[in-house]
Amino acid sequence: MSDILLFSGLFCQAESVVKRLLDDTRYNLITDSDLVAEAAKLSGMSEKTISKAFVSKGSIFNKFNHEKERSIAWLRLALAEKLVNGEDPLVSGFSALLLSQSISHVLKICIIDDVHKRSEVARNEEGFSEKEAIKAMQLNDEEKSIWVKELTGEKDPWASALYDMVVPVGKIGVDESVALIKEQLGNVAVQVTDHSRQEAIDFLHAAKVETALVSKGHNVEVAAKSGKIVLTINKKVLLVERLEKELLELTQPLDGVDSVEVTFGKEFYSTDIYRRMDFELPSRVLLVDDEREFVQTLSERLLMRDLGSHVVYDGESALDFMKDDEPEVMILDLKMPGIDGIEVLRRVKASRPNIEVVILTGHGSDQDKKVCMELGAFAYLHKPVDIEVLSSTLKEAYAKIRKA
C-alpha cells in the first residue's frame, strides 16, 4: 500500500478530502502534532521548541543554536520511521514536505485552488468576510512559502514539480478529488517494491545520520543510498580538513553506514561561515546596555568565544524582545534611561524565572548588589570585566539551566 504525503493551502477543503480517504481506506492519519510529539520523544527537545520549526519567524538566535535545523532533523527522523515501519501513513500538514529523498511508493499530493474558490469556501463554510479570508490566505501562504523554500529551495509552494499530483478540489469537488487520488494509488508506478523499500530505508539511514550530526552541533545535508552516505557542506568553512575529519569520525561508526563522502554545495562559497554549535555554552544571550559602543564590542568578543548574543539598548526593548523570543542568559546593566536594570530583573524573574540574569554594571553599590541577588540574579559583575571571567560565568549559568 502506497504512503501519502499531503500538503495543502488554507480553505482548499483538504480536511474533507482527508476524512473521505480515511473513511474509504485503511490509512492512518499522521498530523504535524503527531510528528512533533514523536520527535520530542526521540530528541529530548520540548514539543514547544520543535513546533516552532513550522513558524516562518524563527528565533534571532537560530544562527548560533541551529534550533530550527535540529527540530527539522528530528521531525524528519520521526517521519522516516513512520514510512519504514509499514503503518500505512497519510501524513497531512507542513510535515508532508520533510521527505528529502525519493521513495517511489510515496504519493505526494498538493491540494490548492485559486483565490476566488478559496475565498468562497472561507465565506460559505467558515464564516469569514472576504477581507478576512484574503488576509488569512496571504498570511498562511507566506508561512508555507518560507517553509517550502527552506526545505526544497523552491519559491512557489504549489509548484507541480514538488508533487506527483496537484488537486484543485474547488473546481472538481471533494468526491472527484478523492476518486482521482484513489485511482492514482492504484498506479503501478507508486506500488511498494523491493527497490522502493530500500529507498525508504535509505531515507531512514540519512535521517539517523543527520540527527547524530546535529546532536553534536553540526548542520550539513545528508543523503544515503544502500549504505553510502553523502554529506554536503553548504557554508564556508575556515578549517575544512578538520571539519571533514570530525564528520567522518562521527558518521562512519553508525549502523548501516558502509562509506562516507563529504562534498561541498553551491552555498559553500557564500560569505556565511559554518559554525558548529557548542552544547556547553549558551546560544541565547541577550545583552542589555545603553552604552552602545561597549555592548557591541562585548558582543563581538563573546562571538569569538562561540557565544552567540543579541543586543538591545534599554530595558523596555529587553522586555519587548522577550514577548517573541526567550534568551537563556541575560547580561544586564543597571543604570539605563527609562526602565532601569533592577526593575528589568524584577520583571524577568517574575515572569521567566528560568532565565539566568548576570548583572554587569559600572555604577552599582553594595546595596544594589544585595537587592539584585535577592531578586534572583545569577551573578553581579563590575565593569570593566575580564572577558574570561564573563565567559566562565555564562558557562556556569548555562550549566545551572541544563541541570534544571
Side-chain angles (χ1 to χ4, degrees):
M1 191 168 176
S2 306
D3 299 331
I4 298 176
L5 300 181
L6 191 149
F7 191 68
S8 62
L10 188 63
F11 306 136
C12 292
Q13 303 180 79
E15 297 83 359
S16 298
V17 172
V18 168
K19 184 178 184 305
R20 280 286 308 278
L21 284 170
L22 296 175
D23 290 342
D24 295 353
T25 66
R26 56 186 177 87
Y27 280 101
N28 296 303
L29 177 63
I30 296 174
T31 64
D32 290 332
S33 296
D34 296 328
L35 285 180
V36 165
E38 187 62 28
K41 291 179 184 177
L42 292 169
S43 66
M45 299 172 67
S46 71
E47 291 187 26
K48 179 181 178 182
T49 296
I50 292 175
S51 63
K52 288 180 181 178
F54 302 127
V55 180
S56 62
K57 187 180 179 182
S59 169
I60 198 166
F61 297 110
N62 193 71
K63 61 183 177 181
F64 304 116
N65 62 21
H66 306 316
E67 191 171 83
K68 187 164 191 172
E69 291 81 0
R70 286 188 288 143
S71 298
I72 289 173
W74 288 105
L75 284 166
R76 192 170 277 136
L77 178 58
L79 172 63
E81 291 188 344
K82 298 292 185 186
L83 297 180
V84 167
N85 291 338
E87 300 180 20
D88 298 325
L90 189 168
V91 181
S92 180
F94 282 81
S95 302
L97 269 294
L98 287 167
L99 185 65
S100 59
Q101 297 191 200
S102 173
I103 302 177
S104 56
H105 68 249
V106 173
L107 183 64
K108 293 175 288 186
I109 301 170
C110 176
I111 293 181
I112 191 64
D113 267 309
D114 61 45
V115 173
H116 175 73
K117 290 286 185 182
R118 295 167 70 185
S119 178
E120 188 176 289
V121 169
R123 297 194 312 272
N124 297 339
E125 298 184 16
E126 305 290 342
F128 281 71
S129 68
E130 184 169 0
K131 184 177 180 180
E132 290 171 336
I134 295 297
K135 183 178 180 180
M137 281 187 288
Q138 287 175 340
L139 291 173
N140 189 262
D141 285 358
E142 182 180 355
E143 290 278 336
K144 288 175 177 173
S145 295
I146 293 171
W147 174 249
V148 170
K149 189 173 187 299
E150 287 176 341
L151 293 181
T152 71
E154 174 62 59
K155 295 180 180 179
D156 179 6
W158 324 118
S160 58
L162 297 174
Y163 310 98
D164 297 307
M165 57 189 307
V166 178
V167 183
V169 180
K171 293 181 180 179
I172 64 177
V174 172
D175 290 344
E176 181 63 23
S177 298
V178 172
L180 283 174
I181 293 171
K182 290 167 67 176
E183 179 183 353
Q184 187 60 34
L185 288 169
N187 191 318
V188 66
V190 293
Q191 299 309 299
V192 179
T193 64
D194 289 342
H195 178 71
S196 71
R197 288 192 188 95
Q198 182 58 52
E199 289 176 327
I201 292 171
D202 287 340
F203 177 51
L204 178 59
H205 284 161
K208 287 182 175 179
V209 171
E210 185 178 7
T211 53
L213 293 178
V214 81
S215 296
K216 296 297 183 180
H218 292 290
N219 177 28
V220 297
E221 293 180 13
V222 183
K225 186 173 183 180
S226 301
K228 179 182 178 180
I229 304 296
V230 178
L231 309 177
T232 303
I233 301 170
N234 259 324
K235 295 274 183 78
K236 185 177 180 180
V237 180
L238 300 179
L239 299 173
V240 177
E241 292 183 0
R242 188 163 74 181
L243 175 60
E244 285 187 87
K245 182 174 182 291
E246 185 171 352
L247 292 174
L248 291 172
E249 288 175 346
L250 290 170
T251 305
Q252 287 172 334
L254 299 175
D255 291 341
V257 175
D258 296 328
S259 65
V260 184
E261 177 186 357
V262 179
T263 64
F264 302 93
K266 61 183 180 180
E267 302 299 323
F268 174 69
Y269 301 100
S270 67
T271 56
D272 203 0
I273 302 294
Y274 184 97
R275 293 188 185 278
R276 175 182 174 274
M277 184 187 172
D278 187 340
F279 289 98
E280 298 299 314
L281 299 173
S283 59
R284 294 170 169 264
V285 180
L286 182 64
L287 304 181
V288 189
D289 198 310
D290 64 324
E291 296 181 54
R292 292 179 177 249
E293 186 175 345
F294 165 79
V295 74
Q296 288 288 358
T297 301
L298 179 59
S299 177
E300 293 168 4
R301 295 182 71 189
L302 290 175
L303 184 58
M304 292 172 65
R305 288 159 176 78
D306 292 324
L307 286 154
S309 63
H310 180 66
V311 176
V312 295
Y313 302 108
D314 57 74
E316 186 174 358
S317 297
L319 297 173
D320 287 342
F321 176 86
M322 289 193 299
K323 293 176 182 177
D324 298 318
D325 217 329
E326 184 171 307
E328 295 157 333
V329 181
M330 178 184 293
I331 300 176
L332 178 64
D333 188 18
L334 289 185
K335 305 300 181 183
M336 297 181 293
I339 304 173
D340 66 18
I342 289 178
E343 180 60 24
V344 172
L345 172 63
R346 181 179 287 110
R347 295 190 194 183
V348 168
K349 297 309 279 187
S351 62
R352 310 283 181 89
N354 55 306
I355 298 175
E356 296 299 337
V357 180
V358 175
I359 303 298
L360 180 59
T361 181
H363 308 286
S365 64
D366 289 342
Q367 179 60 26
D368 288 333
K369 180 177 180 179
K370 181 182 178 183
V371 171
C372 289
M373 300 310 291
E374 288 176 348
L375 287 172
F378 179 82
Y380 191 97
L381 303 177
H382 290 277
K383 298 177 183 176
V385 65
D386 185 309
I387 193 65
E388 297 302 334
V389 171
L390 180 58
S391 299
S392 177
T393 302
L394 293 175
K395 192 170 183 177
E396 290 169 6
Y398 190 52
K400 180 183 176 183
I401 293 168
R402 294 202 317 276
K403 185 176 180 180

